[in-house]
Amino acid sequence: MLSTKEELYLYLEKISRGFTLKDLKYFTANHISESLNISRNLASQYLNELVKEERAIKVNSRPVYFFHKKNVERETQVTLETCVFSGMDEFQRKCRSDEKKRDFQKAIGYYLSLSSCIEQCKAAIKYPPNGLPALFYGAGGTGKAFLSRLMYEYAVNERVIGTAGATSLPPYLTVDCSEYAQNEEKFALALCGGADGKGWLAKAKDGILFFDEIDRLPFSGQELIYFYLISGQYKSYHDEEHIFESNARLVFSTTKSPGETLYKPLARMIPIVIPVPSLHERTGDEKEEMLVSFLKAEGRRMGVDVSISQNAFHCMLEFSYENNIDELKTCVTSSCAGAYLEKSNDGIAIYSYHLPEYMLSSLKLEVKDKDKRMIHLNSYSRDTSLGQTVQFFQIMLDAFEDYRQDAINFDGLMSEFRKELNDYYDYLIYGQKLVNIKISTYEQLINQIFENVGEMYGISLSKKYSHLLARCLYIQLQGDHLIDNWMKQNHDEIEEMFQAVSTVLEKEAVICSRIVNLIKLNLDIETDSLNQLFLLLDIKNQNQKIQGLSAAGIILSHGYATASSIADAANQIIGRKVFDAIDMPLDMQMSDITDLLEKHIERFITCQDIILLVDMGSLEQIHSQMRDLRNLNIGIINNISTALAVDIGLGICGNQKLEDILKRASESNVCTYRIIHNVQKEDAVIFSGENGIDTTEKLKELILKTSETVIPLKFVAYDYYRLVKNGSHDEIFQQYHVKCIIGVFNPEIEGIPFISLEDIISMNSAEKLTNIFSEYLNEEQMEVFNQNLVKNFSLQNVVESITILNPDKLLDEVEQAVGRLQKITGRKIAGRIMIGLYVHLCCLVERLVTKTPIDNYQDLKDFEEKHAEFIGQVRDSFQDISRHYRVALPVSEIAYIYDYIHLNSKNKLSGQAESPVVREDE
């Protein structure tokens, strides 16, 4: 006979079947005690004992709720690591409940592949006064009917359909037009009704009427719909006298081109045509999320835990489904049915042989037995909800409240902000992986804005932050209701937080304001205060102390682009932006000139001195016309030329006194002449790497940053593959006298020294660099150069400079992967090679995350045949990185890893003495 405690447990199991959060009253200790006719205290005691035994779940809300743990896990397809929750919000979050998702948020990929599609849906619903007809156009099985239903839910949630004060939901009717392809009269009667006019149009009043496969309907039926759309009126079937009205909104779907298959007048009456992407056009992340969602849904329906082998999982993911999402669902159901016959211990396991027969032919030959590696769906999660971002924002707001209450100082607040912002950015890059054409467009424009503003203020603005800001702005524009609600509730506190930080970071706030204004001008996006705060912090993080130059120059010259040409030339020669330019027509009024000049001066937030370079004496008195100048010293010099500008610019870069700059420039700039009998090539250093021009440019900037003095050398970022292809005949060697090549891989150009990045990091190339740069720097400058080299070219700094990823986390993961590779292969990689390999692998991970892998390796097929074992070893070693960043390692990239390890040891890549790979047993 069962004990009272076990009877209670069985009762809890019974009421928790088909678990939902709708009828919570049944899960209280009070209700359970009444149902079992025992005291409430005894029921509470037994329930708490079951929680301690990890057989029940306790939610400490008001009232307290208890649930059967296994049934909850089975229904939600999630393994719960704890049995006690602080409240219902935490419980729902851990269960990843979809109950809080509204309308379009239920569509997988609603902010990715479906974003533009859903924007059109919203426009059709909200267009005044009664919305617009909309047509979904796409292949069969892509989810057109599902999206139509979500349109209805959105219309209900936004209260744009239905009758005010109504207690019931407005109607939603679906018409399968294929049923009426051969029966026009039946369709007319169903649409318009008999003498009473009570057909679909009447029944769908205040709601939505969805015509599925409208192209299957004869033109006579489409014509009836057309007449209704024109006037909102219709006549009953076979009754020309009585006219009825309806406000039903119409939505259609078709798998064929609307212009070719629809009744022409009807096609013209549907202003919004919404293309629905096929499953093949959806992102890999979306496809994976769908597969996981369908597998979990089958598990809930059958009441079992579901697991699937890696081989079967990847086969399902990679298969080309002719009937799109519908066929994927069918495949999941079929596989689960086959696995259910072998059910054991309340769970099913899907293996490759459970897949439909037509899919088995697509299985790839695997060297490793992946069919034994299982994915457990109840512990597998793909949290793509934007709601998680609210948690990051709230923590920042909580930290600001501590600052307001003097619990932490400003430095402490900045430290908290940096930590939370880094976590949020990691979430954007690794968790959401937002990728679409809009974000790419935003990023391109923001890169240009960063470049413009960086030059203007003499600061560094990394592409990493344009990559992230583009995604922040995209999320802002999506209007996710969780974020919107949080922003509205905390609007005043967010504004206060932004203003408080702006007041302290005054210079950064000026730069932030400039960027925000340019974003508004170019993208027509009003950046909200929270994203402005993120941008402000990014500027601070990238430029810990904005010093800039103490002086700046402005060139004023009459004529078309005269001042701009001189300023551009001088800035390029100096190697940084020192001068702004104002081009003036000859008849331009002095008041207009001073207005322009004052706006330019406002930008120089770090400057104490402004030097005006003018072309005519009339401009020498311009300072007398200027108003509202802050505490600035103004120097004016006339007879502007490029040589004069360069002379003054070098003095500004050297932070010389205003009087000394002008005096020396005026004395040294006199007319001279010389005859040039022989034009010599300009000395240059080439930066080359297999990771692309962007990475190479970053390495170049790192070297330039190392020298605090302008080096009269041309620094050129150049394509590695072009050097390898053309060799010493490349045009770069005709244009410059190349002193050396710096990079990761040695392009082996005869007669040109090569300095490897790994040797710079390990300081094995100090003598080579000294020999090259000592021609242009004196002993004191060279000493500063070598000191900065040690500081700037640490492995950490190099990785941080050339990737957008978190360097700490990335280096740890790469180090672990290389360590596993050495164990698996039984080979120890030499320390010097190891450093360069780390840099190469960090860049490799970034390429995979940004979907730009190297795929142009020569003789790739030959490499696959000869080195199959090495390919498998690398993939095993890097499986944690692949899983964390959700990327696959292509064979072409593995081939370059092989080359780096093996050819480097044979003096093919680094140009150094042989440093062989050593076996551990030697």
Side-chain angles (χ1 to χ4, degrees):
M1 185 175 178
L2 290 175
S3 65
T4 304
K5 177 179 174 180
E6 289 305 315
E7 284 184 7
L8 185 149
Y9 178 69
L10 289 176
Y11 177 75
L12 189 63
E13 190 273 338
K14 177 183 176 182
I15 63 174
S16 295
R17 291 174 193 166
F19 164 77
T20 68
L21 296 176
K22 292 181 180 178
D23 297 315
L24 291 175
K25 65 181 180 181
Y26 298 112
F27 299 97
T28 63
N30 191 53
H31 186 276
I32 292 171
S33 66
E34 291 177 356
S35 300
L36 296 178
N37 199 25
I38 60 176
S39 72
R40 188 188 180 287
N41 287 341
L42 186 61
S44 180
Q45 175 188 331
Y46 287 154
L47 285 167
N48 282 295
E49 287 178 7
L50 291 172
V51 171
K52 288 181 181 179
E53 295 167 7
E54 298 187 350
R55 293 198 288 166
I57 291 168
K58 180 179 183 180
V59 180
N60 286 314
S61 54
R62 293 186 180 179
V64 176
Y65 298 110
F66 295 89
F67 306 98
H68 187 275
K69 184 171 186 290
K70 191 64 179 176
N71 276 355
V72 170
E73 290 179 331
R74 192 170 290 151
E75 288 298 322
T76 60
Q77 292 293 300
V78 171
T79 298
L80 298 174
E81 296 177 356
T82 181
C83 293
V84 180
F85 297 90
S86 60
M88 192 56 69
D89 285 344
E90 183 193 8
F91 179 56
Q92 285 181 307
R93 191 165 60 251
K94 293 294 183 183
C95 291
R96 298 181 182 90
S97 172
D98 287 343
E99 290 188 20
K100 285 192 174 182
K101 289 186 177 180
R102 289 162 55 95
D103 42 75
F104 291 119
Q105 293 176 349
K106 296 177 183 178
I108 292 172
Y110 75 95
Y111 57 90
L112 294 172
S113 301
L114 295 180
S115 60
S116 60
C117 173
I118 287 172
E119 284 178 13
Q120 289 179 281
C121 292
K122 291 179 178 179
I125 287 296
K126 282 200 161 183
Y127 195 86
N130 295 312
L132 293 171
L135 171 68
F136 289 104
Y137 168 45
T142 50
K144 298 184 292 296
F146 175 63
L147 287 171
S148 171
R149 181 72 192 191
L150 295 184
M151 277 184 77
Y152 164 76
E153 291 184 23
Y154 177 76
V156 172
N157 291 334
E158 295 296 314
R159 298 182 180 178
V160 294
I161 63 173
T163 305
T167 56
S168 59
L169 288 174
Y172 176 83
L173 302 180
T174 298
V175 178
D176 183 357
C177 295
S178 63
E179 294 183 11
Y180 304 93
Q182 307 298 326
N183 197 330
E184 300 174 21
E185 291 188 3
K186 182 180 178 183
F187 174 78
L189 181 61
L191 178 70
C192 301
D196 57 3
K198 291 186 178 179
W200 291 325
L201 290 172
K203 294 175 182 176
K205 185 179 179 181
D206 298 324
I208 289 178
L209 183 57
F210 173 56
F211 294 91
D212 196 13
E213 294 190 89
I214 184 65
D215 55 281
R216 301 285 296 275
L217 198 63
F219 278 5
S220 60
Q222 294 185 37
E223 188 177 25
L224 290 175
I225 297 173
Y226 165 71
F227 287 134
Y228 166 72
L229 287 177
I230 290 176
S231 62
Q233 297 178 333
Y234 63 95
K235 297 177 181 178
S236 61
Y237 186 59
H238 286 325
D239 184 351
E240 295 295 322
E241 295 182 8
H242 296 91
I243 297 176
F244 302 93
E245 293 185 354
S246 176
N247 62 355
R249 298 171 185 236
L250 306 190
V251 179
F252 310 90
S253 78
T254 178
T255 58
K256 299 177 181 178
S257 173
E260 297 176 4
T261 58
L262 291 190
Y263 176 57
K264 299 298 182 186
L266 175 61
R268 289 193 293 269
M269 284 297 295
I270 305 175
I272 295 186
V273 177
I274 307 170
V276 181
S278 66
L279 187 58
H280 176 71
E281 294 171 308
R282 306 290 287 272
T283 68
D285 286 349
E286 291 172 70
K287 196 171 178 180
E288 185 175 343
E289 189 178 349
M290 285 181 201
L291 175 55
V292 170
S293 174
F294 297 155
L295 285 168
K296 286 186 174 184
E298 283 299 309
R300 282 192 293 271
R301 193 167 65 84
M302 295 185 292
V304 296
D305 296 329
V306 178
S307 58
I308 183 171
S309 74
Q310 284 191 12
N311 206 25
F313 187 79
H314 289 299
C315 181
M316 281 184 167
L317 274 182
E318 295 167 10
F319 187 75
S320 180
Y321 296 93
E322 184 177 347
N323 292 315
N324 297 289
I325 299 172
D326 286 353
E327 187 175 355
L328 173 60
K329 282 184 177 178
T330 302
C331 172
V332 167
T333 303
S334 171
S335 303
C336 288
Y340 191 80
L341 297 176
E342 302 169 12
K343 172 179 171 290
S344 62
N345 296 326
D346 296 330
I348 64 170
I350 302 171
Y351 293 97
S352 299
Y353 61 85
H354 291 128
L355 302 179
E357 292 182 7
Y358 62 84
M359 188 177 285
L360 293 177
S361 60
S362 67
L363 283 171
K364 295 179 180 178
L365 177 65
E366 294 288 349
V367 178
K368 304 290 184 180
D369 189 358
K370 288 187 178 179
D371 229 30
K372 290 184 179 179
R373 301 180 188 175
M374 303 302 292
I375 297 171
H376 300 280
L377 272 300
N378 58 1
S379 59
Y380 186 97
S381 66
R382 294 192 52 79
D383 184 6
T384 57
S385 169
L386 293 177
Q388 184 171 338
T389 60
V390 171
Q391 298 176 42
F392 297 111
F393 301 163
Q394 185 61 51
I395 292 173
M396 294 180 73
L397 205 57
D398 292 343
F400 177 67
E401 181 60 29
D402 289 342
Y403 170 69
R404 285 202 305 181
Q405 300 296 329
D406 295 326
I408 57 174
N409 58 19
F410 188 77
D411 288 341
L413 178 65
M414 289 296 99
S415 177
E416 289 292 329
F417 279 178
R418 275 195 299 273
K419 177 183 178 301
E420 208 54 40
L421 207 53
N422 285 336
D423 289 345
Y424 177 47
Y425 287 164
D426 281 352
Y427 170 69
L428 289 184
I429 294 174
Y430 312 130
Q432 289 195 324
K433 289 190 175 182
L434 291 172
V435 179
N436 62 37
I437 188 65
K438 275 194 175 181
I439 292 176
S440 299
T441 303
Y442 294 167
E443 191 171 342
Q444 289 173 13
L445 280 166
I446 293 171
N447 273 330
Q448 295 175 33
I449 291 171
F450 275 15
E451 186 176 340
N452 175 278
V453 174
E455 286 182 1
M456 180 182 298
Y457 296 108
I459 62 171
S460 169
L461 292 169
S462 167
K463 287 185 178 180
K464 168 183 178 179
Y465 291 100
S466 63
H467 179 84
L468 292 162
L469 179 56
R471 282 146 182 79
C472 289
L473 291 177
Y474 180 80
I475 290 172
Q476 173 191 320
L477 296 177
Q478 288 310 292
D480 179 84
H481 81 286
L482 290 175
I483 297 177
D484 284 350
N485 288 341
W486 185 87
M487 294 281 285
K488 288 174 184 175
Q489 292 169 7
N490 299 282
H491 176 269
D492 294 343
E493 290 82 358
I494 294 169
E495 289 293 330
E496 186 180 348
M497 178 168 60
F498 175 60
Q499 293 302 326
V501 176
S502 299
T503 302
V504 179
L505 304 180
E506 183 179 0
K507 293 176 180 178
E508 289 85 350
V510 172
I511 299 170
C512 176
S513 176
R514 177 67 180 167
I515 293 173
V516 167
N517 289 338
L518 288 173
I519 289 173
K520 169 64 176 173
L521 181 65
N522 290 277
L523 291 172
D524 204 26
I525 297 174
E526 292 277 4
T527 309
D528 64 34
S529 295
L530 196 59
N531 279 325
Q532 286 190 57
L533 175 64
F534 296 162
L535 176 58
L536 184 63
L537 296 172
D538 292 342
I539 296 168
K540 174 65 176 175
N541 290 341
Q542 293 177 87
N543 305 272
Q544 287 299 319
K545 190 176 181 182
I546 296 180
Q547 293 176 329
L549 297 172
S550 61
I554 301 176
I555 299 173
L556 298 93
S557 183
H558 293 87
Y560 175 74
T562 305
S564 296
S565 298
I566 295 174
D568 287 345
N571 289 335
Q572 287 187 40
I573 293 169
I574 295 167
R576 66 175 296 178
K577 184 170 182 179
V578 178
F579 295 105
D580 264 10
I582 299 178
D583 297 304
M584 302 174 295
L586 289 170
D587 58 351
M588 191 173 188
Q589 297 297 314
M590 185 63 73
S591 59
D592 295 330
I593 297 173
T594 54
D595 287 344
L596 279 173
L597 184 56
E598 287 169 1
K599 289 179 181 177
H600 278 263
I601 289 175
E602 287 176 4
R603 301 175 184 175
F604 300 112
I605 58 175
T606 64
C607 296
Q608 298 173 341
D609 303 328
I610 299 293
I611 300 177
L612 307 180
L613 294 83
V614 301
D615 64 344
M616 289 186 183
S618 62
L619 291 172
E620 291 183 31
Q621 302 303 317
I622 192 171
H623 64 283
S624 63
Q625 306 290 322
M626 297 170 68
R627 310 170 300 276
D628 301 328
L629 285 176
R630 54 189 173 85
N631 294 326
L632 283 174
N633 302 313
I634 297 179
I636 301 177
I637 190 166
N638 62 11
N639 297 329
I640 176 61
S641 67
T642 302
L644 177 64
V646 171
D647 207 348
I648 290 174
L650 291 174
I652 290 174
C653 290
N655 286 317
Q656 297 175 11
K657 292 182 180 179
L658 177 61
E659 185 176 353
D660 293 341
I661 292 173
L662 296 176
K663 183 178 180 181
R664 184 173 59 81
S666 61
E667 291 174 350
S668 60
N669 281 273
V670 295
C671 293
T672 62
Y673 78 90
R674 61 188 298 194
I675 300 172
I676 308 299
H677 295 288
N678 183 20
V679 179
Q680 294 185 347
K681 298 177 185 176
E682 188 178 2
D683 291 348
V685 171
I686 291 178
F687 294 83
S688 171
E690 85 292 358
N691 295 307
I693 288 294
D694 281 350
T695 301
T696 309
E697 282 282 358
K698 293 171 187 174
L699 290 177
K700 182 186 83 172
E701 292 301 321
L702 209 52
I703 281 285
L704 289 173
K705 181 181 175 184
T706 299
S707 174
E708 295 181 358
T709 305
V710 176
I711 303 175
L713 261 174
K714 191 73 175 179
F715 293 88
V716 182
Y718 210 67
D719 184 62
Y720 166 81
Y721 301 104
R722 188 170 177 178
L723 287 177
V724 171
K725 180 181 178 182
N726 299 333
S728 59
H729 299 293
D730 193 278
E731 63 180 6
I732 192 74
F733 302 108
Q734 308 301 318
Q735 186 177 358
Y736 297 106
H737 176 224
V738 178
K739 306 293 288 185
C740 72
I741 298 172
I742 297 176
V744 178
F745 281 66
N746 186 358
E748 298 186 309
I749 307 299
E750 186 176 351
I752 307 294
F754 175 74
I755 300 176
S756 70
L757 181 61
E758 62 200 44
D759 283 336
I760 296 177
I761 295 171
S762 61
M763 299 310 294
N764 288 337
S765 62
E767 186 176 349
K768 277 189 178 183
L769 288 170
T770 300
N771 291 339
I772 291 169
F773 291 109
S774 60
E775 294 181 35
Y776 311 95
L777 301 173
N778 59 36
E779 288 185 8
E780 183 179 347
Q781 292 168 336
M782 200 66 219
E783 184 176 352
V784 172
F785 180 88
N786 286 328
Q787 289 173 354
N788 288 342
L789 195 69
V790 174
K791 180 176 66 176
N792 292 340
F793 275 82
S794 67
L795 181 58
Q796 176 85 10
N797 280 351
V798 169
V799 172
E800 185 172 8
S801 298
I802 63 178
T803 74
I804 65 171
L805 305 178
N806 184 325
D808 294 329
K809 186 180 296 184
L810 187 57
L811 279 170
D812 286 343
E813 292 167 330
V814 166
E815 183 180 8
Q816 292 172 16
V818 172
R820 283 197 295 273
L821 183 61
Q822 290 182 105
K823 280 188 177 181
I824 293 173
T825 59
R827 291 176 176 270
K828 186 176 181 181
I829 301 172
R832 182 181 59 78
I833 299 176
M834 185 85 77
I835 294 172
L837 182 61
Y838 280 1
V839 176
H840 176 76
L841 293 175
C842 288
C843 291
L844 185 158
V845 173
E846 183 191 47
R847 288 196 298 273
L848 297 182
V849 169
T850 57
K851 296 181 172 60
T852 55
I854 297 174
D855 55 9
N856 58 352
Y857 187 88
Q858 293 184 348
D859 300 324
L860 184 61
K861 189 173 181 180
D862 181 63
F863 176 85
E864 284 185 276
E865 293 174 356
K866 290 182 178 179
H867 302 290
E869 183 181 4
F870 181 80
I871 293 170
Q873 291 170 339
V874 171
R875 282 181 168 157
D876 281 352
S877 303
F878 284 75
Q879 59 181 327
D880 287 347
I881 287 179
S882 297
R883 189 181 305 113
H884 178 204
Y885 295 97
R886 303 187 190 283
V887 295
L889 201 59
V891 176
S892 56
E893 290 281 10
I894 296 174
Y896 277 103
I897 296 174
Y898 180 91
D899 284 354
Y900 194 91
I901 295 173
H902 292 79
L903 297 183
N904 202 322
S905 67
K906 297 176 184 177
N907 194 23
K908 292 290 186 183
L909 301 180
S910 67
Q912 299 293 321
E914 185 171 336
S915 179
V917 177
V918 181
R919 288 185 180 276
E920 287 188 346
D921 57 357
E922 290 182 2

